[in-house]
Amino acid sequence: MATNPGLFTEWPWKKLGSFKYMLLAPWVAHGWYEVATKGWRNADLGYLAILPSLILRVLHNQAWITASRLQNARGRRQIVRRGIEFDQVDRERNWDDQIILSGILLYLGALYMPGGQYLPLWRADGAVLIALLHAGPVEFLYYWFHRALHHHFLYTRYHSHHHASIVTEPITLLFSIPLIACALTGTASIIAFEVYVIYIDLMNNMGHCNFELVPNWLFKWFPPLKYLMYTPSYHSLHHTQFRTNYSLFMPFYDYIYNTMDKSSDTLYDNSLKNKEEEVDVVHLTHLTSLQSIYHVRPGFAEFASKPYVSKWYMRMMWPFSWLSMVLTWAYGSSFIVERNVMKKIRMQSWAITRYSFHYGLDWEKEAINDLIEKAICEADKSGAKVVSLGLLNQANTLNKSGDLYLLKYPKLRARLVDGTSLAAAVVVNSIPQGTDQVIIAGNISKVARVVAQALCKNNVKVIMTNKQDYHLLKPEMPETVADNLLFSKTGTAKVWLTGDGLDAAQQFRAQKGTQFIPYSQFPPRMLRKDSCSYSTTPAMIVPKTLQNVHSCENWLPRRVMSAWRIAGILHALEGWTEHECGDKVLDMEKVWSAAIMHGFCPVAQD
C-alpha cells in the first residue's frame, strides 16, 4: 500500500480474493460458445488464444519468481544482499492482478476495437511497427511518466508501494500502445501480439529478479546493446538510489537525459563475480505431504508465507503433484530452499528429495540414508560448521540418530545436531507451572526419553500409557527419581505429552480441558473440541536479528521455527564443538539459556 494512498491505488476486485479470476469467466464461456456454434474453423482464433496466453503469462511469471527465490537461497550473483521479509511478500501478492486487467482489455479489444477481430497468425509489418512503437513512444512516455511518479505528491500516493521493495522480485508491467496501434492500422497478428507480451514479461521479470544473469560477452560482441537492453543490476540501482535509471527496458533515455547511475557498470561487473556464499549452518529437511511441494519457499509465495494447510484446490492438482514427486525423486539429490543470516552466522536449508511417507517404504530406506549421507558430506565439504538434521530425525532407525555417519566419517568437521536437548527444553517449559503429573502417549522418541527424565528429576509424576514403553524407560531413570515414572491406562492428568502414533481412541480417553503438548515433529490431529487445547510442535519465535525470513516452516506460524532447526543455529552461535546425535544429549538448561539469551522466545500457547 502507498504511504498516502491516492485514487485507484487498490484493484477494484481486491475483496474477491481468489475468486477474482471469475471476472474472466464470461468471456471464456463466450469463447467456448463460439466454438460450439461455429466450429473451430469459423471461430475467432485470436479471441480464443487470449485464455492460453494469460495462462502462459502466469506460468512465465511464476517461473521467474521460482528462479529468483532459488538464486536468493544460493546467494550466487545476487545484486542486493538484503533479506526479504513477510511484509514484502504481502505487498507483492497481487502480481497477477495486472494479468487479469490485461485479459479484460484484450477481450474487450477483440470484441469491440476496429481491427481486433479474426487476426491472422503473422504479419511482419505489424511486428516491425510494434518494435518501433515500443522503442519510441512507449519507452519515451514511460521514462517521463516514471520521473513524474518520483515527485513527492505522486510518489507518496502511488509509487512508494513499488519502491518499498528494495530487494526486488518479479512483478508485471504491460503497455498496450503498440497493440492498439497495430489493431487500428490493420497490421495486427496473433504471434506478434504474443511475442510482444512475452517480451514485456521477460524484461520486466528479469529487471526485478535480483540476480545478474546477462553475460558480459553480449555487450563486448555488440557494444550498442547497452543502450537497448537493461540488466537486473541496472534496474536494481533504481530501487536503491531512487533518482537514477528511470528507463523501462532500454536505457538510452537515461543516457540522453543524464540520469544513468554512474555505478551501473561497476555493480554489473561485481554482481557477475559474486559466488555462492559460504555457509555456517546447513539445516536438512524434506517435503512432507504430496501437496507440500507448492508450500516450499521457491514455490508459490502466497502458500509459503502462510502455515501449511491442505486446500481442496491443491488436492485437485494431484497430477502435477505426482509429477513433481517423480521429478524430485529422479533428481536424486538435495537442493537449497532457503537462506538466512543471524549476526555473522549464515544458514541454508537443504531439502532432501523425498517425502515423509517414503520413510515407511522398505525399498526406499537405503536410498534415503544415502541421500542424507551425501548431503552431510556436501555440507562438510562446503565448510559448514553445523549440520542440523531437522525432520530427518525420522530416519533414526536407519542411522541410529546419526551415529552411523560419525562412525563412517570420523574426521567429519561439521557438527551433527539432532536438536533433542532444545526440543525437550521447549516441551518442559511449555508445561503449566504447578503441574504435578503428566501423561506420555504415542511413540517414544529420544526427545520423549529426555523429557521424562527431566520431569522425574523435577518431582513431576510421569505416567506412561504403554506398558512396553514403560519397561523400556524405567531402567534409564536414576534410582533417586525412578518412582516418579508410573504406568497406568487410566491416568487423570490434564497435561498430555504426545508423540507420533497417538490414535483417536487415546485422545478421547483424555479428560475435558486436557492440554496436548506434542514432543514429536508432526502435530497430532486435533480431534477434541471440548475445551481441550493443542500446543504447537516444539518451536520458538525467532528474533528480528534473524533475517531473510519470509516463509513459514511447514505448519508453524510466521517467524516461528522448530526447535530442531534452532538448535543448529545455537550450536554455531555458541561455537559448541561436540556433536548431538546418537545417544549424546547436550545439557538442556544450557541450551535453553542460550536460546533465550540470543532472543528466541517461547511460543504463546492457546
Side-chain angles (χ1 to χ4, degrees):
M1 180 62 67
T3 54
N4 184 18
L7 193 63
F8 305 126
T9 54
E10 288 188 354
W11 295 96
W13 50 75
K14 181 180 179 181
K15 294 183 179 180
L16 294 178
S18 298
F19 291 99
K20 61 188 178 184
Y21 301 105
M22 296 303 296
L23 292 170
L24 300 173
W27 291 292
V28 175
H30 179 252
W32 285 110
Y33 174 77
E34 291 284 302
V35 172
T37 56
K38 298 181 180 180
W40 285 100
R41 290 187 177 183
N42 296 321
D44 187 343
L45 184 59
Y47 187 79
L48 298 177
I50 293 176
L51 178 61
S53 173
L54 297 178
I55 295 174
L56 179 61
R57 291 192 65 195
V58 170
L59 295 175
H60 184 191
N61 280 267
Q62 180 58 48
W64 274 101
I65 292 172
T66 297
S68 175
R69 289 187 159 216
L70 284 172
Q71 285 294 117
N72 178 276
R74 296 173 62 191
R76 186 170 180 261
R77 292 191 174 186
Q78 196 172 6
I79 301 167
V80 178
R81 291 189 174 273
R82 298 185 191 178
I84 300 170
E85 302 298 332
F86 282 109
D87 57 347
Q88 178 173 342
V89 177
D90 293 338
R91 283 197 310 272
E92 298 178 351
R93 185 168 291 159
N94 63 346
W95 60 268
D96 55 344
D97 283 326
Q98 297 201 45
I99 296 178
I100 294 175
L101 176 62
S102 70
I104 294 173
L105 296 177
L106 285 171
Y107 275 120
L108 291 175
L111 287 173
Y112 304 113
M113 181 175 290
Q117 297 77 41
Y118 292 94
L119 303 181
L121 276 177
W122 171 252
R123 283 195 60 157
D125 53 354
V128 172
L129 180 61
I130 287 175
L132 293 175
L133 288 174
H134 177 84
V138 171
E139 289 282 346
F140 179 79
L141 291 173
Y142 177 89
Y143 174 85
W144 285 107
F145 180 65
H146 194 179
R147 287 192 67 168
L149 282 175
H150 279 258
H151 183 277
H152 176 73
F153 179 84
L154 294 177
Y155 184 84
T156 57
R157 285 163 175 77
Y158 297 101
H159 203 46
S160 60
H161 174 82
H162 180 62
H163 271 275
S165 302
I166 302 298
V167 182
T168 55
E169 287 195 288
I171 54 176
T172 307
L173 294 172
L174 180 65
F175 292 91
S176 58
I177 292 176
L179 305 184
I180 295 174
C182 280
L184 295 177
T185 57
T187 59
S189 65
I190 296 173
I191 294 177
F193 274 28
E194 185 60 29
V195 169
Y196 182 60
V197 171
I198 291 174
Y199 166 77
I200 292 288
D201 284 342
L202 173 68
M203 296 301 294
N204 180 63
N205 284 311
M206 185 184 75
H208 292 87
C209 68
N210 195 38
F211 66 92
E212 190 54 74
L213 75 162
V214 181
N216 53 13
W217 60 262
L218 276 178
F219 299 105
K220 292 179 180 179
W221 174 69
F222 186 61
L225 189 63
K226 67 184 295 185
Y227 304 106
L228 302 176
M229 183 183 78
Y230 74 174
T231 64
S233 56
Y234 184 93
H235 187 68
S236 179
L237 278 170
H238 176 70
H239 279 261
T240 55
Q241 304 302 321
F242 301 105
R243 297 291 182 179
T244 58
N245 296 9
Y246 292 102
S247 292
L248 179 55
F249 306 138
M250 300 178 174
F252 55 79
Y253 285 111
D254 279 316
Y255 283 92
I256 292 174
Y257 297 108
N258 197 31
T259 54
M260 187 204 73
D261 196 288
K262 300 299 186 291
S263 62
S264 297
D265 292 339
T266 302
L267 180 62
Y268 169 74
D269 292 333
N270 292 338
S271 298
L272 285 176
K273 295 175 184 177
N274 284 342
K275 299 180 180 179
E276 289 189 27
E277 288 185 341
E278 295 182 356
V279 60
D280 299 304
V281 180
V282 171
H283 172 68
L284 297 182
T285 185
H286 60 70
L287 299 164
T288 52
S289 67
L290 195 60
Q291 291 81 29
S292 63
I293 187 69
Y294 308 118
H295 190 269
V296 294
R297 183 181 171 277
F300 297 114
E302 183 173 358
F303 294 157
S305 64
K306 298 177 182 178
Y308 172 74
V309 178
S310 182
K311 303 287 188 179
W312 62 268
Y313 47 81
M314 283 205 230
R315 291 192 289 271
M316 290 178 62
M317 296 171 65
W318 67 266
F320 301 101
S321 304
W322 277 97
L323 178 61
S324 66
M325 184 188 70
V326 172
L327 292 175
T328 54
W329 181 85
Y331 180 65
S333 186
S334 58
F335 59 96
I336 304 172
V337 295
E338 190 168 358
R339 175 180 59 86
N340 306 107
V341 177
M342 182 173 178
K343 300 175 182 178
K344 294 183 178 181
I345 300 298
R346 293 156 296 187
M347 299 153 271
Q348 289 180 351
S349 293
W350 295 6
I352 302 295
T353 52
R354 291 298 185 272
Y355 292 72
S356 295
F357 50 82
H358 283 129
Y359 285 81
L361 304 174
D362 291 335
W363 55 274
E364 276 281 39
K365 290 181 179 179
E366 185 175 348
I368 292 171
N369 209 29
D370 290 341
L371 285 171
I372 298 173
E373 181 179 326
K374 182 180 178 182
I376 290 173
C377 291
E378 288 178 356
D380 187 60
K381 186 178 179 180
S382 68
K385 301 171 184 175
V386 176
V387 176
S388 170
L389 297 179
L391 285 175
L392 303 184
N393 284 320
Q394 290 182 88
N396 58 8
T397 56
L398 306 178
N399 53 61
K400 296 183 179 179
S401 298
D403 256 357
L404 289 184
Y405 304 131
L406 296 182
L407 292 174
K408 189 171 183 179
Y409 301 101
K411 295 184 180 180
L412 195 70
R413 293 169 297 177
R415 306 293 94 180
L416 299 186
V417 177
D418 62 19
T420 297
S421 55
L422 184 58
V426 171
V427 173
V428 170
N429 284 277
S430 298
I431 298 173
Q433 291 186 357
T435 300
D436 57 4
Q437 60 176 332
V438 300
I439 291 176
I440 292 184
N443 300 335
I444 299 302
S445 64
K446 182 180 176 183
V447 173
R449 295 199 299 269
V450 174
V451 168
Q453 290 181 12
L455 291 176
C456 287
K457 290 178 181 177
N458 291 338
N459 205 30
V460 176
K461 302 295 182 183
V462 178
I463 302 169
M464 308 292 298
T465 60
N466 184 289
K467 196 168 187 178
Q468 184 178 353
D469 292 337
Y470 167 75
H471 289 299
L472 179 68
L473 281 183
K474 192 73 171 180
E476 298 180 7
M477 294 293 164
E479 291 185 6
T480 55
V481 298
D483 291 341
N484 288 329
L485 185 69
L486 308 171
F487 167 71
S488 174
K489 288 189 176 182
T490 58
T492 59
K494 285 197 172 184
V495 174
W496 281 47
L497 309 182
T498 63
D500 294 327
L502 180 72
D503 58 33
Q506 287 177 299
Q507 285 199 46
F508 283 107
R509 282 203 298 267
Q511 293 188 344
K512 290 184 178 181
T514 294
Q515 180 179 359
F516 294 96
I517 303 175
Y519 55 79
S520 57
Q521 294 173 320
F522 290 85
R525 291 181 61 192
M526 299 182 183
L527 302 175
R528 296 289 297 271
K529 309 298 182 182
D530 50 352
S531 71
C532 291
S533 61
Y534 291 83
S535 300
T536 183
T537 51
M540 301 184 78
I541 301 171
V542 301
K544 292 183 178 180
T545 51
L546 185 54
Q547 300 175 345
N548 204 34
V549 180
H550 54 278
S551 60
C552 293
E553 185 179 349
N554 298 314
W555 44 82
L556 296 174
R558 289 183 169 187
R559 295 198 66 84
V560 173
M561 283 186 180
S562 67
W564 293 274
R565 185 176 177 184
I566 294 172
I569 300 173
L570 292 176
H571 220 82
L573 288 171
E574 290 293 309
W576 294 328
T577 57
E578 61 266 54
H579 296 280
E580 185 181 35
C581 58
D583 294 328
K584 175 68 175 176
V585 180
L586 299 183
D587 182 85
M588 202 171 71
E589 291 298 327
K590 180 181 77 170
V591 176
W592 178 257
S593 297
I596 299 301
M597 180 186 69
H598 286 289
F600 294 93
C601 302
V603 179
Q605 305 298 334
D606 295 334

